[in-house]
């Protein structure tokens, strides 16, 4: 399964890309524009596409960052890969 999401700010993304190499194959946490937390292993990044990919990803939901019908529960499944785009 591959899901695509947008990251909050392009500038923050590009700054992150400069430092990202040291985190390859490391467990990382990413917070989406929907306030959903994703935990996974940093697999790759593509500055030209302004994207990063995590593998073995768990969706932790919004964890109280949103309430009511905007709250997103955690997922029971582990995604093989998720690509995040700026």
């Amino acid at each position: 399964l591959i899901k695509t999401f947008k990251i909050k700010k392009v500038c923050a993304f590009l700054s992150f890309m400069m430092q990202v190499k040291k985190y390859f194959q490391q467990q990382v946490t990413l917070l989406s524009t929907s306030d959903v937390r994703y935990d996974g292993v940093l697999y790759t990044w593509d500055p030209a596409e302004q994207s990063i990919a995590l593998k073995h990803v768990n969706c932790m939901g919004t964890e109280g960052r949103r309430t009511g019908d905007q709250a997103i529960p955690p997922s029971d499944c582990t995604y093989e890969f998720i690509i995040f785009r700026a």
Side-chain angles (χ1 to χ4, degrees):
L1 291 173
I2 296 177
K3 288 190 170 187
T4 302
F5 297 91
K6 291 194 177 270
I7 298 175
K8 288 186 177 187
K9 296 181 182 176
V10 173
C11 291
F13 179 81
L14 293 175
S15 175
F16 173 75
M17 289 294 107
M18 298 301 204
Q19 301 173 28
V20 76
K21 287 184 181 182
K22 64 183 174 185
Y23 295 105
F24 276 119
Q25 302 303 317
Q26 299 292 316
Q27 187 74 25
V28 297
T29 296
L30 189 142
L31 190 62
S32 76
T33 56
S34 301
D35 291 324
V36 176
R37 181 170 64 99
Y38 295 90
D39 292 335
V41 175
L42 182 58
Y43 180 69
T44 189
W45 65 287
D46 185 341
E49 292 290 322
Q50 296 184 353
S51 66
I52 61 172
L54 302 183
K55 65 180 180 178
H56 311 301
V57 184
N58 294 309
C59 172
M60 309 310 287
T62 51
E63 302 174 309
R65 285 178 290 277
R66 296 199 180 194
T67 58
D69 61 348
Q70 291 187 350
I72 298 171
S75 176
D76 291 336
C77 65
T78 299
Y79 298 96
E80 186 175 348
F81 289 96
I82 298 181
I83 298 171
F84 297 86
R85 292 196 166 106

Coordinates of all heavy atoms in Angstrom, one line a residue:
L1 N 0.8 -1.2 0.0 CA 0.0 0.0 0.0 C 0.9 1.2 0.0 O 1.8 1.3 0.7 CB -0.9 0.0 1.3 CG -2.0 -1.0 1.4 CD1 -2.6 -0.9 2.7 CD2 -3.0 -0.8 0.3
I2 N 0.5 2.2 -0.8 CA 1.2 3.5 -0.8 C 0.2 4.6 -0.6 O -0.8 4.6 -1.3 CB 2.0 3.7 -2.1 CG1 3.1 2.7 -2.3 CG2 2.6 5.1 -2.2 CD1 3.9 2.8 -3.6
K3 N 0.4 5.4 0.3 CA -0.4 6.6 0.6 C 0.4 7.8 0.3 O 1.6 7.8 0.6 CB -1.0 6.6 2.0 CG -2.0 5.6 2.2 CD -2.7 5.8 3.5 CE -3.9 4.9 3.7 NZ -4.6 5.3 4.9
T4 N -0.2 8.9 -0.1 CA 0.5 10.2 -0.3 C -0.1 11.2 0.5 O -1.3 11.4 0.5 CB 0.5 10.5 -1.8 OG1 1.1 9.5 -2.6 CG2 1.2 11.8 -2.1
F5 N 0.7 12.0 1.2 CA 0.2 13.1 2.1 C 1.1 14.3 1.8 O 2.1 14.2 1.3 CB 0.3 12.7 3.5 CG -0.6 11.5 3.9 CD1 -0.1 10.2 3.8 CD2 -1.9 11.7 4.3 CE1 -0.9 9.1 4.1 CE2 -2.7 10.6 4.6 CZ -2.2 9.4 4.5
K6 N 0.6 15.5 2.2 CA 1.4 16.7 2.1 C 1.9 17.1 3.4 O 1.3 17.0 4.4 CB 0.5 17.8 1.5 CG 0.1 17.5 0.1 CD -0.5 18.8 -0.5 CE -0.8 18.5 -1.9 NZ 0.3 18.8 -2.8
I7 N 3.1 17.6 3.4 CA 3.8 18.1 4.6 C 3.5 19.6 4.7 O 3.4 20.3 3.7 CB 5.3 17.8 4.5 CG1 5.5 16.3 4.5 CG2 6.1 18.4 5.7 CD1 6.9 15.8 4.3
K8 N 3.5 20.1 5.9 CA 3.0 21.5 6.1 C 3.7 22.6 5.3 O 3.1 23.4 4.7 CB 3.1 21.8 7.6 CG 2.1 21.1 8.4 CD 2.0 21.5 9.8 CE 0.9 20.8 10.6 NZ 0.7 21.2 11.9
K9 N 5.0 22.7 5.3 CA 5.6 23.8 4.7 C 6.8 23.4 3.8 O 7.6 22.6 4.2 CB 6.1 24.8 5.7 CG 5.0 25.4 6.5 CD 5.6 26.4 7.5 CE 4.5 27.0 8.4 NZ 4.9 27.9 9.4
V10 N 6.9 23.9 2.6 CA 7.9 23.5 1.7 C 9.3 24.0 2.2 O 10.3 23.2 2.2 CB 7.7 24.1 0.3 CG1 8.9 23.9 -0.6 CG2 6.4 23.6 -0.3
C11 N 9.4 25.2 2.8 CA 10.6 25.7 3.3 C 11.2 24.8 4.4 O 12.4 24.4 4.5 CB 10.5 27.1 3.8 SG 10.2 28.3 2.5
A12 N 10.3 24.4 5.3 CA 10.7 23.5 6.4 C 11.1 22.2 5.9 O 12.1 21.6 6.3 CB 9.5 23.3 7.4
F13 N 10.4 21.7 4.8 CA 10.8 20.5 4.2 C 12.2 20.5 3.6 O 13.0 19.6 3.8 CB 9.8 20.1 3.1 CG 10.0 18.9 2.4 CD1 9.7 17.7 2.9 CD2 10.7 18.9 1.1 CE1 9.9 16.5 2.2 CE2 10.9 17.7 0.4 CZ 10.5 16.5 1.0
L14 N 12.5 21.6 2.9 CA 13.8 21.7 2.2 C 14.9 21.8 3.3 O 16.0 21.2 3.1 CB 13.8 22.9 1.3 CG 12.9 22.8 0.1 CD1 12.9 24.1 -0.7 CD2 13.3 21.6 -0.8
S15 N 14.7 22.5 4.3 CA 15.6 22.5 5.4 C 15.9 21.2 6.0 O 17.0 20.8 6.3 CB 15.2 23.5 6.5 OG 16.0 23.5 7.6
F16 N 14.8 20.4 6.2 CA 14.9 19.1 6.7 C 15.7 18.2 5.8 O 16.5 17.4 6.2 CB 13.5 18.5 6.9 CG 13.4 17.1 7.2 CD1 13.7 16.6 8.5 CD2 13.0 16.1 6.3 CE1 13.7 15.3 8.8 CE2 13.0 14.8 6.6 CZ 13.3 14.4 7.9
M17 N 15.5 18.4 4.5 CA 16.2 17.5 3.5 C 17.7 17.7 3.6 O 18.4 16.7 3.4 CB 15.8 17.9 2.1 CG 14.4 17.5 1.7 SD 14.2 15.7 1.7 CE 13.3 15.4 3.1
M18 N 18.2 18.9 4.0 CA 19.6 19.1 4.1 C 20.2 18.2 5.2 O 21.4 17.8 5.2 CB 20.0 20.5 4.4 CG 19.5 21.4 3.2 SD 20.3 21.0 1.7 CE 20.3 22.5 0.8
Q19 N 19.4 17.9 6.2 CA 19.9 17.2 7.4 C 19.5 15.7 7.3 O 19.9 14.9 8.2 CB 19.4 17.8 8.6 CG 19.8 19.2 8.8 CD 19.1 19.9 10.0 OE1 18.7 19.2 10.9 NE2 18.9 21.2 9.9
V20 N 18.7 15.3 6.4 CA 18.1 14.0 6.4 C 19.0 12.8 6.2 O 18.8 11.7 6.7 CB 16.9 14.0 5.3 CG1 17.5 13.8 3.9 CG2 16.0 12.9 5.7
K21 N 20.1 13.0 5.5 CA 21.0 11.9 5.2 C 21.4 11.1 6.4 O 21.5 9.8 6.3 CB 22.2 12.3 4.4 CG 21.9 12.7 3.0 CD 23.2 13.1 2.2 CE 22.8 13.5 0.8 NZ 24.0 13.8 0.0
K22 N 21.7 11.7 7.5 CA 22.2 11.0 8.7 C 21.1 10.2 9.3 O 21.4 9.3 10.1 CB 22.7 12.0 9.7 CG 21.7 13.0 10.3 CD 22.4 13.9 11.2 CE 21.5 15.0 11.7 NZ 22.1 16.0 12.5
Y23 N 19.9 10.3 8.8 CA 18.7 9.5 9.4 C 18.3 8.4 8.5 O 17.4 7.7 8.9 CB 17.5 10.5 9.7 CG 17.8 11.5 10.7 CD1 18.1 12.8 10.4 CD2 17.9 11.1 12.1 CE1 18.4 13.8 11.3 CE2 18.2 12.1 13.0 CZ 18.4 13.4 12.7 OH 18.7 14.3 13.6
F24 N 19.0 8.1 7.4 CA 18.6 7.0 6.6 C 18.6 5.7 7.4 O 19.6 5.5 8.2 CB 19.5 6.8 5.4 CG 19.1 7.7 4.2 CD1 19.9 8.7 3.7 CD2 17.9 7.5 3.6 CE1 19.5 9.5 2.7 CE2 17.4 8.3 2.6 CZ 18.3 9.3 2.1
Q25 N 17.6 4.9 7.2 CA 17.5 3.6 7.8 C 17.3 3.7 9.4 O 17.5 2.7 10.1 CB 18.7 2.6 7.5 CG 18.8 2.4 6.0 CD 17.6 1.8 5.4 OE1 16.9 0.9 5.9 NE2 17.2 2.3 4.2
Q26 N 17.0 4.9 9.8 CA 16.7 5.1 11.2 C 15.2 5.2 11.5 O 14.5 5.7 10.6 CB 17.4 6.4 11.7 CG 18.9 6.4 11.6 CD 19.5 5.4 12.5 OE1 19.2 5.3 13.7 NE2 20.5 4.7 12.0
Q27 N 14.7 4.9 12.6 CA 13.3 5.1 13.0 C 13.1 6.6 13.2 O 13.8 7.2 13.9 CB 13.0 4.3 14.3 CG 11.6 4.3 14.7 CD 10.8 3.4 13.9 OE1 11.3 2.4 13.3 NE2 9.5 3.6 13.8
V28 N 12.0 7.1 12.5 CA 11.7 8.5 12.6 C 10.2 8.6 12.8 O 9.4 7.7 12.6 CB 12.1 9.3 11.3 CG1 13.6 9.2 11.1 CG2 11.4 8.7 10.1
T29 N 9.8 9.8 13.2 CA 8.4 10.2 13.4 C 8.1 11.4 12.5 O 8.9 12.3 12.4 CB 8.1 10.5 14.9 OG1 8.3 9.4 15.7 CG2 6.7 11.0 15.1
L30 N 7.0 11.3 11.8 CA 6.6 12.4 10.9 C 5.1 12.8 11.3 O 4.3 12.0 11.6 CB 6.6 12.0 9.5 CG 6.4 13.0 8.5 CD1 7.4 12.8 7.3 CD2 5.0 13.1 8.0
L31 N 4.9 14.1 11.4 CA 3.6 14.6 11.7 C 3.0 15.3 10.4 O 3.6 16.2 9.8 CB 3.6 15.7 12.8 CG 2.3 16.2 13.4 CD1 1.6 15.0 14.1 CD2 2.6 17.3 14.4
S32 N 1.9 14.8 10.0 CA 1.3 15.2 8.7 C 0.5 16.5 8.9 O 0.3 17.0 10.0 CB 0.3 14.2 8.1 OG -0.9 14.1 8.8
T33 N 0.0 17.1 7.8 CA -0.8 18.3 7.8 C -2.1 18.1 8.5 O -2.8 19.0 9.0 CB -1.0 18.9 6.4 OG1 -1.6 17.9 5.6 CG2 0.3 19.4 5.8
S34 N -2.5 16.8 8.6 CA -3.8 16.4 9.3 C -3.5 16.1 10.8 O -4.4 15.6 11.4 CB -4.4 15.2 8.6 OG -4.6 15.4 7.3
D35 N -2.3 16.4 11.3 CA -1.9 16.2 12.6 C -1.9 14.7 13.0 O -2.0 14.3 14.1 CB -2.8 16.9 13.6 CG -2.7 18.4 13.6 OD1 -1.5 18.8 13.4 OD2 -3.6 19.1 13.7
V36 N -1.7 13.9 12.0 CA -1.5 12.4 12.2 C 0.0 12.1 12.3 O 0.8 12.6 11.5 CB -2.1 11.6 11.0 CG1 -1.9 10.1 11.2 CG2 -3.6 11.9 10.9
R37 N 0.3 11.3 13.3 CA 1.7 10.9 13.5 C 1.9 9.6 12.9 O 1.2 8.7 13.0 CB 2.0 10.8 15.0 CG 3.5 10.4 15.3 CD 3.8 10.5 16.8 NE 3.1 9.7 17.6 CZ 3.6 8.5 18.1 NH1 4.8 8.1 17.7 NH2 2.8 7.8 18.9
Y38 N 3.1 9.5 12.1 CA 3.5 8.3 11.5 C 4.9 7.9 12.0 O 5.8 8.8 12.1 CB 3.6 8.5 10.0 CG 2.3 8.8 9.3 CD1 1.8 10.1 9.2 CD2 1.5 7.7 8.9 CE1 0.5 10.3 8.6 CE2 0.2 7.9 8.3 CZ -0.2 9.2 8.2 OH -1.5 9.5 7.6
D39 N 5.1 6.7 12.4 CA 6.4 6.2 12.8 C 6.8 5.2 11.8 O 6.0 4.3 11.4 CB 6.2 5.5 14.2 CG 5.9 6.4 15.3 OD1 6.3 7.6 15.2 OD2 5.4 6.0 16.3
G40 N 8.0 5.3 11.3 CA 8.6 4.4 10.4 C 10.1 4.5 10.2 O 10.7 5.4 10.8
V41 N 10.6 3.8 9.3 CA 12.1 3.8 9.0 C 12.2 4.7 7.7 O 11.6 4.5 6.7 CB 12.6 2.4 8.7 CG1 14.1 2.5 8.3 CG2 12.4 1.5 9.9
L42 N 13.1 5.7 7.8 CA 13.4 6.6 6.7 C 14.0 5.8 5.6 O 15.1 5.2 5.8 CB 14.3 7.7 7.1 CG 14.6 8.8 6.1 CD1 13.3 9.4 5.5 CD2 15.5 9.8 6.6
Y43 N 13.3 5.7 4.5 CA 13.8 4.9 3.4 C 14.5 5.7 2.3 O 15.6 5.3 1.9 CB 12.6 4.2 2.8 CG 12.9 3.3 1.6 CD1 13.6 2.1 1.8 CD2 12.5 3.6 0.3 CE1 13.9 1.3 0.7 CE2 12.8 2.8 -0.8 CZ 13.5 1.6 -0.5 OH 13.8 0.8 -1.6
T44 N 13.9 6.8 1.8 CA 14.5 7.5 0.8 C 13.9 9.0 0.8 O 12.9 9.2 1.4 CB 14.3 6.9 -0.6 OG1 15.1 7.6 -1.6 CG2 12.9 6.9 -1.0
W45 N 14.6 9.8 0.0 CA 14.1 11.2 -0.2 C 14.4 11.6 -1.6 O 15.4 11.2 -2.1 CB 14.6 12.1 0.9 CG 16.1 12.4 0.8 CD1 17.1 11.5 1.2 CD2 16.8 13.5 0.4 NE1 18.3 12.0 1.1 CE2 18.2 13.3 0.6 CE3 16.4 14.8 -0.1 CZ2 19.1 14.3 0.2 CZ3 17.3 15.7 -0.4 CH2 18.7 15.4 -0.2
D46 N 13.6 12.5 -2.1 CA 13.8 13.0 -3.5 C 13.6 14.5 -3.4 O 12.5 15.0 -3.4 CB 12.8 12.3 -4.4 CG 13.1 12.7 -5.9 OD1 13.7 13.8 -6.1 OD2 12.6 12.0 -6.7
P47 N 14.7 15.3 -3.4 CA 14.6 16.7 -3.4 C 13.9 17.3 -4.6 O 13.2 18.3 -4.5 CB 16.1 17.2 -3.3 CG 16.9 16.0 -3.0 CD 16.1 14.8 -3.3
A48 N 14.1 16.7 -5.7 CA 13.4 17.2 -6.9 C 11.9 17.1 -6.8 O 11.2 17.9 -7.3 CB 13.9 16.4 -8.2
E49 N 11.4 16.0 -6.3 CA 10.0 15.8 -6.1 C 9.5 16.3 -4.7 O 8.3 16.3 -4.5 CB 9.7 14.3 -6.1 CG 9.9 13.6 -7.5 CD 8.9 14.1 -8.5 OE1 7.7 14.3 -8.1 OE2 9.2 14.3 -9.6
Q50 N 10.4 16.8 -3.9 CA 10.1 17.3 -2.6 C 9.3 16.2 -1.8 O 8.2 16.5 -1.3 CB 9.4 18.6 -2.6 CG 10.2 19.7 -3.2 CD 9.5 21.1 -3.2 OE1 8.3 21.2 -2.8 NE2 10.2 22.1 -3.5
S51 N 9.9 15.0 -1.7 CA 9.2 14.0 -1.1 C 10.2 13.1 -0.2 O 11.4 13.1 -0.5 CB 8.5 13.1 -2.1 OG 9.5 12.4 -2.9
I52 N 9.6 12.5 0.7 CA 10.4 11.5 1.5 C 9.5 10.2 1.6 O 8.3 10.3 1.5 CB 10.8 12.0 2.9 CG1 9.6 12.3 3.8 CG2 11.7 13.1 2.9 CD1 9.9 12.6 5.2
A53 N 10.1 9.1 1.8 CA 9.4 7.8 1.9 C 9.8 7.1 3.2 O 11.0 7.1 3.5 CB 9.7 6.9 0.7
L54 N 8.9 6.6 3.9 CA 9.1 5.8 5.1 C 8.7 4.4 4.7 O 7.8 4.2 3.9 CB 8.3 6.3 6.3 CG 8.5 7.7 6.7 CD1 7.6 8.0 8.0 CD2 9.9 8.0 7.0
K55 N 9.4 3.4 5.3 CA 9.0 2.0 5.2 C 8.6 1.5 6.6 O 9.0 2.0 7.6 CB 10.0 1.2 4.5 CG 11.3 1.0 5.3 CD 12.3 0.2 4.5 CE 13.6 0.0 5.3 NZ 14.6 -0.8 4.6
H56 N 7.8 0.4 6.6 CA 7.4 -0.3 7.8 C 6.7 0.8 8.7 O 7.1 1.0 9.8 CB 8.5 -1.0 8.5 CG 9.3 -1.9 7.7 ND1 8.8 -2.9 7.0 CD2 10.6 -1.8 7.3 CE1 9.7 -3.5 6.3 NE2 10.8 -2.9 6.4
V57 N 5.7 1.4 8.2 CA 5.1 2.6 8.8 C 3.8 2.3 9.6 O 2.9 1.5 9.1 CB 4.7 3.6 7.7 CG1 4.2 4.9 8.3 CG2 5.9 3.9 6.8
N58 N 3.8 2.8 10.8 CA 2.6 2.7 11.7 C 1.9 4.1 11.8 O 2.6 5.1 12.0 CB 2.9 2.2 13.1 CG 3.4 0.8 13.0 OD1 2.8 -0.1 12.4 ND2 4.6 0.5 13.6
C59 N 0.6 4.1 11.6 CA -0.1 5.4 11.7 C -0.7 5.4 13.1 O -1.4 4.6 13.6 CB -1.3 5.4 10.7 SG -2.4 6.7 11.0
M60 N -0.3 6.5 13.9 CA -0.6 6.6 15.3 C -1.9 7.4 15.5 O -2.3 7.7 16.6 CB 0.6 7.2 16.1 CG 1.9 6.4 15.8 SD 1.8 4.6 16.0 CE 1.6 4.5 17.8
G61 N -2.4 8.0 14.4 CA -3.6 8.8 14.6 C -3.3 10.2 15.0 O -2.1 10.6 15.1
T62 N -4.3 11.0 15.4 CA -4.1 12.4 15.8 C -3.7 12.5 17.3 O -3.3 13.6 17.7 CB -5.3 13.2 15.5 OG1 -6.5 12.6 16.1 CG2 -5.5 13.5 14.0
E63 N -3.9 11.5 18.1 CA -3.5 11.4 19.5 C -3.9 12.7 20.3 O -3.1 13.2 21.1 CB -2.0 11.3 19.6 CG -1.5 10.0 18.9 CD 0.0 9.9 18.8 OE1 0.7 10.9 18.4 OE2 0.6 8.9 19.2
G64 N -5.1 13.1 20.1 CA -5.6 14.3 20.8 C -5.3 15.6 20.2 O -5.7 16.7 20.8
R65 N -4.6 15.7 19.1 CA -4.3 17.0 18.5 C -5.5 17.5 17.8 O -5.6 18.7 17.5 CB -3.1 16.8 17.5 CG -1.7 16.7 18.2 CD -0.6 16.5 17.2 NE -0.7 15.2 16.6 CZ -0.2 14.1 17.1 NH1 0.4 14.2 18.3 NH2 -0.2 12.9 16.5
R66 N -6.5 16.7 17.5 CA -7.8 17.1 16.9 C -8.8 16.3 17.7 O -8.6 15.3 18.3 CB -7.9 16.7 15.5 CG -6.8 17.5 14.6 CD -7.2 17.5 13.2 NE -6.2 18.3 12.5 CZ -6.4 18.7 11.3 NH1 -7.5 18.4 10.6 NH2 -5.4 19.4 10.6
T67 N -10.0 17.0 17.8 CA -11.1 16.4 18.6 C -12.3 16.2 17.7 O -12.4 16.7 16.6 CB -11.4 17.3 19.8 OG1 -11.8 18.6 19.3 CG2 -10.3 17.4 20.7
G68 N -13.3 15.5 18.2 CA -14.6 15.3 17.5 C -14.4 14.5 16.3 O -13.7 13.6 16.2
D69 N -15.1 15.0 15.2 CA -15.1 14.3 13.9 C -13.8 14.5 13.2 O -13.6 13.9 12.1 CB -16.3 14.6 13.1 CG -16.4 16.1 12.7 OD1 -15.7 16.9 13.3 OD2 -17.3 16.4 11.9
Q70 N -12.9 15.4 13.7 CA -11.6 15.6 13.0 C -10.6 14.7 13.6 O -9.5 14.6 13.0 CB -11.2 17.1 13.2 CG -12.0 18.0 12.4 CD -11.5 19.4 12.4 OE1 -10.6 19.7 13.1 NE2 -12.0 20.3 11.5
A71 N -10.9 14.0 14.7 CA -9.9 13.1 15.3 C -9.8 11.8 14.4 O -10.7 11.4 13.8 CB -10.4 12.6 16.6
I72 N -8.6 11.4 14.2 CA -8.3 10.2 13.4 C -7.7 9.1 14.3 O -6.6 9.4 15.0 CB -7.3 10.5 12.3 CG1 -8.0 11.6 11.3 CG2 -6.9 9.3 11.5 CD1 -7.1 12.1 10.3
P73 N -8.3 8.0 14.4 CA -7.8 6.9 15.3 C -6.5 6.3 14.7 O -6.3 6.3 13.5 CB -8.9 5.9 15.4 CG -9.6 6.1 14.1 CD -9.5 7.5 13.7
P74 N -5.7 5.6 15.6 CA -4.6 4.9 15.1 C -5.0 3.7 14.2 O -6.1 3.2 14.3 CB -3.8 4.4 16.3 CG -4.8 4.6 17.4 CD -5.8 5.5 17.0
S75 N -4.1 3.3 13.3 CA -4.4 2.2 12.4 C -3.8 0.9 13.0 O -2.8 0.9 13.6 CB -3.8 2.4 11.0 OG -3.9 1.3 10.2
D76 N -4.5 -0.2 12.8 CA -4.0 -1.5 13.2 C -3.0 -2.1 12.3 O -2.3 -3.0 12.7 CB -5.2 -2.5 13.4 CG -6.1 -2.1 14.5 OD1 -5.7 -1.4 15.4 OD2 -7.3 -2.5 14.4
C77 N -2.9 -1.6 11.1 CA -2.0 -2.3 10.1 C -0.7 -1.5 10.0 O -0.6 -0.3 10.4 CB -2.7 -2.4 8.7 SG -3.0 -0.9 7.9
T78 N 0.3 -2.2 9.5 CA 1.6 -1.6 9.2 C 1.7 -1.4 7.7 O 1.6 -2.4 7.0 CB 2.8 -2.4 9.8 OG1 2.7 -2.5 11.2 CG2 4.1 -1.8 9.4
Y79 N 2.0 -0.2 7.2 CA 2.1 0.0 5.8 C 3.5 -0.3 5.4 O 4.5 0.1 6.0 CB 1.8 1.5 5.5 CG 0.4 1.9 5.8 CD1 0.1 2.5 7.0 CD2 -0.7 1.6 4.9 CE1 -1.2 2.8 7.3 CE2 -2.0 1.9 5.2 CZ -2.3 2.5 6.4 OH -3.6 2.9 6.7
E80 N 3.6 -0.9 4.2 CA 5.0 -1.3 3.7 C 5.8 0.0 3.4 O 6.9 0.2 3.8 CB 4.9 -2.1 2.4 CG 6.2 -2.6 1.9 CD 6.0 -3.6 0.8 OE1 4.9 -4.0 0.5 OE2 7.0 -3.8 0.1
F81 N 5.1 1.0 2.7 CA 5.7 2.3 2.4 C 4.7 3.3 2.4 O 3.5 3.1 2.0 CB 6.4 2.3 0.9 CG 7.6 1.4 0.8 CD1 7.5 0.1 0.4 CD2 8.8 2.0 1.2 CE1 8.7 -0.6 0.3 CE2 10.0 1.2 1.1 CZ 9.9 -0.1 0.6
I82 N 5.1 4.6 2.8 CA 4.2 5.8 2.6 C 5.1 6.9 2.0 O 6.2 7.1 2.6 CB 3.5 6.2 3.9 CG1 2.6 5.1 4.4 CG2 2.8 7.5 3.6 CD1 1.8 5.6 5.7
I83 N 4.7 7.5 1.0 CA 5.4 8.7 0.4 C 4.7 10.0 0.9 O 3.5 10.1 0.8 CB 5.4 8.6 -1.1 CG1 6.1 7.3 -1.6 CG2 6.1 9.8 -1.7 CD1 6.0 7.1 -3.0
F84 N 5.5 10.9 1.5 CA 5.1 12.2 1.9 C 5.6 13.2 1.0 O 6.8 13.2 0.7 CB 5.5 12.4 3.3 CG 5.0 11.5 4.4 CD1 5.6 10.3 4.6 CD2 3.8 11.8 5.0 CE1 5.1 9.4 5.5 CE2 3.3 10.9 6.0 CZ 4.0 9.7 6.2
R85 N 4.7 14.1 0.5 CA 5.1 15.1 -0.4 C 4.9 16.5 0.2 O 3.9 16.7 0.8 CB 4.4 15.0 -1.7 CG 4.8 13.7 -2.5 CD 4.3 13.8 -3.9 NE 5.0 12.7 -4.6 CZ 4.5 11.6 -5.0 NH1 3.2 11.4 -4.8 NH2 5.2 10.7 -5.6
A86 N 5.7 17.5 -0.2 CA 5.6 18.9 0.3 C 4.6 19.6 -0.6 O 4.2 19.1 -1.6 CB 6.9 19.6 0.2

